[in-house]
Amino acid sequence: MEGMRICPPGSVSLGVACCRCSGLARGWDRIADKAYCPDCQEAVIIGEGSPIIERTERKRCTVCSAEGIVRFLTFPLNSLQSVEMDLCPEHLRALLGRRLGTHAFAQVRRQLSQLGLNANDIFLLHDAFYDPQGRALQPAADPL
């Protein structure tokens, strides 16, 4: 599966500072290789932070197969190994905003399962944010 993969052990540095606030933690999410803490991700989604502007790569989105992706990397709960997803800008915004559509959520959940991971192990896909059918329970607030 090309659009979603588990990164080899040790291939992703831990303890990298958030590119916006410089906060440190064991493993922040990465968007186009830049670390973002959850607070800075939320600020972008609700319109309080400056937008994320990154050049897209000529690959296909793991959810919808659209060409033009931004790599998103996250650390599953209690894991030192990361998972990387190729997402089009629309699905990246939806993932960060905790508002994936039911079909997109099912696609991501299926692909994670094929990698031996549970969607519940990914913070932004946790069952606190989505019901078992993939309906968003706590989407981020719309931009101001």
Side-chain angles (χ1 to χ4, degrees):
M1 177 177 354
E2 281 183 38
M4 188 178 297
R5 60 211 152 269
I6 295 176
C7 298
S11 66
V12 178
S13 300
L14 300 174
V16 175
C18 173
C19 70
R20 299 268 172 118
C21 71
S22 301
L24 286 173
R26 184 182 66 134
W28 294 134
D29 291 345
R30 312 282 167 86
I31 300 168
D33 293 327
K34 295 176 185 167
Y36 288 83
C37 73
D39 290 338
C40 288
Q41 287 180 22
E42 182 89 1
V44 168
I45 294 302
I46 64 173
E48 292 179 357
S50 58
I52 297 171
I53 301 171
E54 296 293 341
R55 184 176 297 270
T56 59
E57 297 177 34
R58 295 188 78 170
K59 294 182 180 178
R60 300 240 174 238
C61 176
T62 192
V63 174
C64 67
S65 298
E67 188 174 308
I69 62 95
V70 177
R71 284 179 291 124
F72 175 77
L73 182 140
T74 191
F75 291 87
L77 298 173
N78 303 315
S79 177
L80 295 177
Q81 267 188 288
S82 56
V83 62
E84 189 173 51
M85 304 175 200
D86 295 339
L87 298 170
C88 65
E90 177 184 343
H91 285 114
L92 177 61
R93 279 189 296 274
L95 176 67
L96 295 177
R98 302 182 310 269
R99 57 176 75 237
L100 283 172
T102 55
H103 176 73
F105 181 84
Q107 283 284 90
V108 171
R109 181 173 50 195
R110 181 185 59 76
Q111 291 182 36
L112 286 167
S113 178
Q114 290 175 344
L115 293 174
L117 297 169
N118 185 314
N120 210 29
D121 294 333
I122 307 298
F123 175 74
L124 291 170
L125 301 172
H126 193 272
D127 63 7
F129 301 131
Y130 291 93
D131 71 12
Q133 288 73 41
R135 290 185 295 256
L137 299 173
Q138 294 185 47
D142 288 326
L144 302 171

